[in-house]
Amino acid sequence: MKKAQFWYGDFLVAVLILMIIGVLFVVSIRDLTSRNEILKDLTLEASDISSMLMTEGTFIEEWGDYKGTIGFITNNKFDENKFSEFSDNLTPEEQSVMLGTYNKVWIYLENRNGNKIYYNLEYTSINQIDSPNLVHIKRFVFYNGDIHTLGVVVF
């Protein structure tokens, strides 16, 4: 093999390696931006849902007919009857529709000791949710004369 042929072979291998590195870089950057977009959308939904839950809600007797708005507050306090109406009488799919999302939403009320008092899905801890993308928002509410945490997890 002549020197020029040997050098040209090395050059082609180097160009091939650089092309592979470039493709891997572009793929990883695209994946990062798409994941950020997903998290941005989930954050907006979680914020909207948690804000809506902090209202009194409307047309509670018609929630099953997809009418009204969901809200768990009565007289500036958490209303366990509204939460029970929501979690017991609506399927998880119906709950998502009423909250205005296609994603799953786990809502819970937690006391100061970290114990979940009420929750709408089968989860009792955020660690049980197996999802690559989730957003967790906490709000503080009055319940039974004490401050509790109303958590909203969208995934």
Side-chain angles (χ1 to χ4, degrees):
M1 214 181 211
K2 296 182 181 178
K3 272 184 161 179
Q5 290 173 330
F6 185 71
W7 179 86
Y8 186 69
D10 286 347
F11 176 73
L12 287 178
V13 168
V15 168
L16 183 64
I17 289 172
L18 285 174
M19 287 176 58
I20 291 172
I21 290 171
V23 167
L24 291 175
F25 176 75
V26 168
V27 167
S28 66
I29 292 298
R30 187 178 312 147
D31 185 47
L32 265 175
T33 56
S34 66
R35 180 159 159 56
N36 285 342
E37 285 298 316
I38 291 170
L39 289 176
K40 180 179 164 186
D41 292 342
L42 288 177
T43 301
L44 290 172
E45 282 188 4
S47 178
D48 289 345
I49 290 169
S50 67
S51 294
M52 180 173 50
L53 295 179
M54 296 298 290
T55 66
E56 294 204 9
T58 58
F59 302 111
I60 297 165
E61 61 281 347
E62 297 180 10
W63 284 356
D65 296 328
Y66 304 111
K67 296 179 182 173
T69 57
I70 306 296
F72 297 148
I73 305 299
T74 300
N75 296 326
N76 298 321
K77 296 177 184 167
F78 180 81
D79 188 339
E80 69 273 4
N81 294 327
K82 288 182 179 179
F83 187 87
S84 296
E85 182 77 25
F86 173 76
S87 63
D88 296 342
N89 296 327
L90 299 175
T91 66
E93 292 78 23
E94 291 172 332
Q95 292 174 13
S96 293
V97 168
M98 287 298 295
L99 294 170
T101 183
Y102 292 109
N103 298 304
K104 287 187 178 180
V105 181
W106 179 48
I107 304 166
Y108 64 88
L109 183 71
E110 181 179 74
N111 65 13
R112 287 181 186 246
N113 299 327
N115 299 321
K116 307 293 186 283
I117 301 171
Y118 299 107
Y119 46 90
N120 67 322
L121 299 178
E122 68 274 5
Y123 309 108
T124 56
S125 169
I126 196 167
N127 298 329
Q128 295 174 333
I129 299 174
D130 183 27
S131 177
N133 301 310
L134 65 84
V135 174
H136 188 192
I137 292 183
K138 294 181 179 182
R139 300 280 186 127
F140 296 106
V141 295
F142 286 108
Y143 177 67
N144 283 345
D146 198 8
I147 296 176
H148 288 64
T149 303
L150 180 66
V152 176
V153 180
V154 179
F155 56 101

